[in-house]
Amino acid sequence: MDMQVLPMDLMQWLTETFAGEFTLTALVSMIPVVELRGGIPFGVAAGLPVWAAFLAAVIGNLIPVPFIIVYIRRIFQWMRRRIPVLNRMVDALERKAHLKGQKVTKYKYLGLMLFVAIPLPGTGAWTGSLAAAFLDMPLRKALPSVIAGVLIAGLAISILSYGVVSIL
């Protein structure tokens, strides 16, 4: 098999098929900061109907959540030991988690859901999961709050961007 053919076939699949566009939208939505707030418009621009872009973005946005809640503190400890040059970045992320966590603490899981649901910069599944991890929220309790928040944010972005009719 010619090595030049495979990347082009993959690019063609990602950009010219429904499954590829769906997958690419999910991957874009996994990126911190972009998340589903950028994933839904990306998916629609790629050619997906709004409902499919919503579904792909929600799935992609939720994939990292359990890993962040369960493992991020261990990952930060490992990074501090093995890659000291990243200590400043880890410190900044921990500060951000603690600051955002203060907003969540008062209302616990409802607060976490509302925090994730607000479609503004600095909120979302990644930051909410980071806050949940640093507040020692158990995955089985934090995950439903994050999922509900992501669904609400996705609906808000879809409705604000494309209107109710385009979603139905």
Side-chain angles (χ1 to χ4, degrees):
M1 178 182 265
D2 184 5
M3 293 303 269
Q4 292 288 335
V5 175
L6 187 60
M8 187 48 138
D9 288 345
L10 178 61
M11 284 303 296
Q12 202 168 5
W13 180 78
L14 285 170
T15 58
E16 296 178 14
T17 66
F18 180 86
E21 292 166 351
F22 191 94
T23 301
L24 193 54
T25 300
L27 290 171
V28 165
S29 300
M30 291 174 72
I31 301 170
V33 182
V34 176
E35 300 190 41
L36 94 163
R37 290 149 178 79
I40 293 170
F42 176 87
V44 171
L48 291 174
V50 176
W51 67 265
F54 170 85
L55 185 61
V58 165
I59 291 168
N61 200 196
L62 288 174
I63 288 172
V65 167
F67 300 101
I68 296 168
I69 294 171
V70 174
Y71 296 112
I72 197 65
R73 293 173 98 173
R74 287 180 231 166
I75 292 168
F76 283 174
Q77 287 173 350
W78 180 87
M79 288 171 68
R80 286 185 188 286
R81 280 195 317 271
R82 304 276 187 210
I83 316 169
V85 73
L86 297 178
N87 281 351
R88 277 187 156 160
M89 182 191 73
V90 171
D91 289 341
L93 289 169
E94 286 180 344
R95 266 193 311 279
K96 183 177 184 178
H98 286 294
L99 285 171
K100 302 298 181 178
Q102 289 173 358
K103 295 177 182 177
V104 170
T105 302
K106 185 175 179 181
Y107 300 104
K108 278 289 203 189
Y109 303 104
L110 177 63
L112 179 60
M113 180 197 70
L114 293 172
F115 178 79
V116 172
I118 298 168
L120 294 172
T123 65
W126 277 79
T127 308
S129 299
L130 196 59
F134 280 93
L135 292 172
D136 291 319
M137 292 181 168
L139 179 64
R140 64 182 165 69
K141 291 186 176 182
L143 189 59
S145 296
V146 174
I147 290 170
V150 166
L151 290 170
I152 293 167
L155 283 172
I157 293 297
S158 298
I159 290 169
L160 289 171
S161 299
Y162 307 104
V164 177
V165 175
S166 65
I167 296 169
L168 306 173

